[in-house]
Amino acid sequence: MEQLLTERLVLTRPLPDDESELFALCSDERVWRHYPSLRHTDPGQTRAMLERWTQQWDAHGLGVWVARGREDGALRGYGGCSVLHDAVWNLGYRLSPEHHGHGYATELARAAIDAAQRVHPDLPVIAYLLANNEASAAVARRLGMREVHRGPDAGNPDPDAVRLVFAERALTAGELAATLR
C-alpha cells in the first residue's frame, strides 16, 4: 500500500523530502478557499502534518499518499484515508489548483476507499467536508457515498459554516459521534 498506481497517478507514502512541495501546496490560499484558516503559513505546520501522516501509516498500514503524475512525476496533491478515533476511515485530499477539474480527486479517492476497505473492511469510509465545498460533495456522490449528516461545524471560526458527512455505508450512532468530535 505504500505505493499504488492508478490510471494517471503514482501514490506514495509521504517522505520528509516531500515537505517543501507540500508546504507550497498547503500555503496556497486557492487550495483553502473553503476553509482559509487551515492554510499553512509556516513550514512547521507542514512538518507536523507529515508527522501525523507517518503515525497513521505506522499504526494502521495506510494513510495519506503524495500524488504525482505517472507521466511527469509532478506533484498533483495528496490524499487518502486515515483512521479517525478508531471508528471510521476519513477520506481526504488536496490537489493543486492547476489540477482541479480533471478527475484526479475522484481517481485518488476511489483508490483510497478501495485500499481502506482492503486494510480494515470493518471500518466505514466517510468524507468530512464543508457544505460550501460543492466540488468535494460532488466527488463523494460520484463515488456512491451518501450524505448522513448536515449541521453546524463546531470549532470553525466561521459561525455560519455547515459540516457535511458522507459515508459509503450506514453509520452507527457511535461511528457518527466519533466522526463529529
Side-chain angles (χ1 to χ4, degrees), residues 54-106:
T54 297
Q55 291 168 359
Q56 275 285 323
W57 275 97
D58 291 347
H60 303 288
L62 186 64
V64 173
W65 291 297
V66 171
R68 297 183 181 280
R70 280 183 75 158
E71 291 187 13
D72 62 7
L75 183 72
R76 299 293 191 267
Y78 63 82
C81 286
S82 300
V83 174
L84 184 61
H85 305 298
D86 295 321
V88 297
W89 286 109
N90 184 32
L91 170 66
Y93 53 85
R94 293 270 176 248
L95 297 172
S96 65
E98 297 78 22
H99 296 103
H100 288 182
H102 299 284
Y104 288 114
T106 302

Side-chain angles (χ1 to χ4, degrees), residues 1 8 14 21 46 55 61 74-75 116 146 162-163 167 178:
M1 293 293 175
R8 299 175 296 161
E21 284 183 291
T46 307
Q55 291 168 359
L75 183 72
R146 295 216 159 141
V162 174
R163 176 62 63 183

